[in-house]
Amino acid sequence: MATTLISGGTVVTATGRSAADVLVDGEKIAAVLAPGSTLLGHDLAASVDTVLDATGKYVIPGGIDAHTHMQMPFGGTEASDTFETGTRAAAWGGTTTIVDFAIQRYGERVMDGLAAWHDKAAGECAIDYGFHQIIGDVNDDSLKAMESLVDEGVSSYKLFMAYPGVFYSDDAQIYKAMRVGAETGLMTMMHAENGPAIDAMVAELLAQGKTDPYYHGVARAWQMEEEATHRAIMLANLTGAPLYVVHVSAKQAVEQLAAARDNGQNVFGETCPQYLYLSLEDQLGAGGFEGAKWVCSTPLRSKHEHHQDHMWQSLRTNDIQMVATDHCPFCMKGQKDMGVGDFSKIPNGIGSVEHRMDLMYQGVVDGKISLERWVEITSTTPARMFGMYGAKGVIAPGADADVVIYDPNGHTSIGLDKTHHMNMDYSAWEGFEIEGHVDTVMSRGRVVINNNEYLGSKGHGQYVRRSTSQYLV
Ligand code: DUC
Ligand code: ZN
Ligand code: ZN
């Protein structure tokens, strides 16, 4: 088995940083050693197959993006990244594991949905991947099937309080599913927006001739997110189910989560880079149909209401526990443009899987989060939250050798013609400048990115069987 020494770097974990060398043996980390250590009298650098020089750079556990939708059928089309293109782009950006969403649609059986997603991903991925299970039709059969999900390595399932007629669950269905979640240890993931009220508002706006992408953000008002978040928390409280609210964008929703956590409840929140950097006015309101590039749900929020600042603060205070992307890319041509003249027909989603580690590192540069917190919210907490910790999310002996060498003196210009390997005809992050750079990426001991070159291959990525959450008290 090939051996590699990552030497001279600063190893950063969620709990601290130190100068250390990392010895990789095959697919695993074998040792974390004082710089220049010998092993049984042997000069390590001379004994290993490969030495990666990390002098002046950070050595961190590979990023874990716990919310992606590769080739997801949605909004009358399909997300434009396949498992192949999307995981390759993730690797470019320092992410070494994704957790994607297998889907049970209305009228379908849960295990058929899961099997279909295994078929889509198997042999295609450049990095490791796991699945959450979307339950789009809560009924006796799917409730029974949920009891077997943990045995399949799927320890979390997602419900939607939005999208009536598509994925929507009513309160009775949520209650029943959460009962199973509480009994089995499954993490309940929730898309928390009041879908029926939103749909009524969408109809009103369209009837008034308000058809531009900007009105997507108006219709999906923060009140709809706060209300649904509160309702989900109360149902979780009643049933005892652990709850993880996805893509939190409104500061009022964060306040609901924080209050429940202060009350001792096992509730957690995820946000995404778009809710930290982008706004209703600057992006959705960019003018004409341009705003379609940033149509996603939950929507971008008003900068005048300071949701973005509040979200950064919540990441510092652990009112929000982690950052995923909700990567769900669509091209402008042939996909987003289905909504010209009717914002409700624009497929919802933004592509960011390649940029999450960089965008969050810029938060370190800007003094908004610490270096350790960067690692925690992008890798260690996702691993713990979703039952992968030990193998993933940490630099320690026995862990998978998923390692990123990150150069704080490097620079990354984000844009369609620059760092962009996602299967999209635009970049939602065009023009963003990052004061850092992904230098080298190792996935289970194999270097997949080095010096701006892709060295990986499809099929290297393996399915990750996840245990129940390691984040619960
Ligand atoms: N939100 C999105 O923006 N896209 C996919 C699904 C979702 O909930
Ligand atoms: Zn969602
Ligand atoms: Zn999503």
Side-chain angles (χ1 to χ4, degrees), residues 17-37:
R17 63 188 92 172
S18 60
D21 293 348
V22 178
L23 179 63
V24 173
D25 186 5
E27 297 196 346
K28 302 281 183 189
I29 293 173
V32 181
L33 305 146
S37 292

Side-chain angles (χ1 to χ4, degrees), residues 158 160 191 246-247:
K158 182 179 177 189
F160 287 78
H191 179 127
V246 297
H247 48 53

Side-chain angles (χ1 to χ4, degrees), residues 67 69 101 158 247 326:
H67 189 157
H69 300 283
F101 287 83
K158 182 179 177 189
H247 48 53
D326 196 10

Side-chain angles (χ1 to χ4, degrees), residues 170-197:
D170 67 25
D171 292 350
Q173 290 174 307
I174 294 169
Y175 169 78
K176 288 179 189 173
M178 281 185 172
R179 288 279 300 264
V180 178
E183 279 160 23
T184 56
L186 283 171
M187 179 71 78
T188 300
M189 305 174 77
M190 189 63 77
H191 179 127
E193 286 186 296
N194 186 323

Side-chain angles (χ1 to χ4, degrees), residues 154-420:
V154 177
S155 56
S156 41
Y157 73 101
K158 182 179 177 189
L159 299 176
F160 287 78
M161 300 167 97
Y163 305 125
V166 187
F167 294 131
Y168 174 76
S169 290
D170 67 25
D171 292 350
Q173 290 174 307
I174 294 169
Y175 169 78
K176 288 179 189 173
M178 281 185 172
R179 288 279 300 264
V180 178
E183 279 160 23
T184 56
L186 283 171
M187 179 71 78
T188 300
M189 305 174 77
M190 189 63 77
H191 179 127
E193 286 186 296
N194 186 323
I198 287 170
D199 281 6
M201 206 162 159
V202 167
E204 277 173 14
L205 288 163
L206 290 174
Q208 291 163 17
K210 295 176 175 166
T211 60
D212 281 353
Y214 175 81
Y215 293 101
H216 170 82
V218 174
R220 305 187 89 94
W222 61 259
Q223 290 89 341
M224 301 295 95
E225 186 183 346
E226 178 179 5
E227 184 279 326
T229 303
H230 178 72
R231 191 157 30 102
I233 289 169
M234 287 296 107
L235 290 166
N237 189 305
L238 182 65
T239 55
L243 173 69
Y244 174 98
V245 181
V246 297
H247 48 53
V248 178
S249 63
K251 64 182 178 190
Q252 295 84 355
V254 179
E255 283 159 6
Q256 293 294 332
L257 291 167
R261 287 175 58 73
D262 289 349
N263 202 27
Q265 205 178 325
N266 266 321
V267 301
F268 312 103
E270 157 203 289
T271 195
C272 312
Q274 52 269 35
Y275 308 124
L276 294 159
Y277 284 105
L278 311 179
S279 71
L280 171 69
E281 293 81 9
D282 293 343
Q283 277 77 30
L284 272 177
F289 194 65
E290 184 73 0
K293 292 177 175 174
W294 298 279
V295 164
C296 61
S297 297
T298 59
L300 304 184
R301 299 290 175 197
S302 171
K303 62 180 179 185
H304 303 305
E305 295 167 356
H306 303 291
H307 299 274
Q308 297 81 0
D309 296 343
H310 194 272
M311 207 59 77
W312 279 111
Q313 177 182 306
S314 306
L315 281 174
R316 280 198 297 281
T317 57
N318 208 38
D319 287 335
I320 291 288
Q321 286 70 42
M322 50 179 273
V323 175
T325 56
D326 196 10
H327 179 76
C328 192
F330 297 102
C331 292
M332 282 294 271
K333 197 164 162 7
Q335 294 195 295
K336 291 274 187 184
D337 62 9
M338 294 191 301
V340 174
D342 179 349
F343 68 83
S344 72
K345 294 197 167 59
I346 301 169
N348 288 198
I350 284 186
S352 312
V353 76
E354 185 171 356
H355 304 312
R356 185 184 63 120
M357 298 301 286
D358 281 326
L359 288 165
M360 296 318 300
Y361 180 72
Q362 191 59 38
V364 178
V365 175
D366 294 343
K368 292 182 168 164
I369 51 171
S370 71
L371 196 55
E372 288 79 5
R373 185 68 175 153
W374 172 53
V375 171
E376 187 169 28
I377 62 180
T378 56
S379 178
T380 307
T381 296
R384 289 180 62 207
M385 188 69 75
F386 293 115
M388 296 177 278
Y389 186 73
K392 309 288 188 193
V394 64
I395 303 263
D400 286 355
D402 291 351
V403 183
V404 173
I405 303 176
Y406 198 84
D407 184 359
N409 298 309
H411 188 90
T412 306
S413 298
I414 302 181
L416 192 54
D417 300 326
K418 298 167 187 136
T419 51
H420 191 88

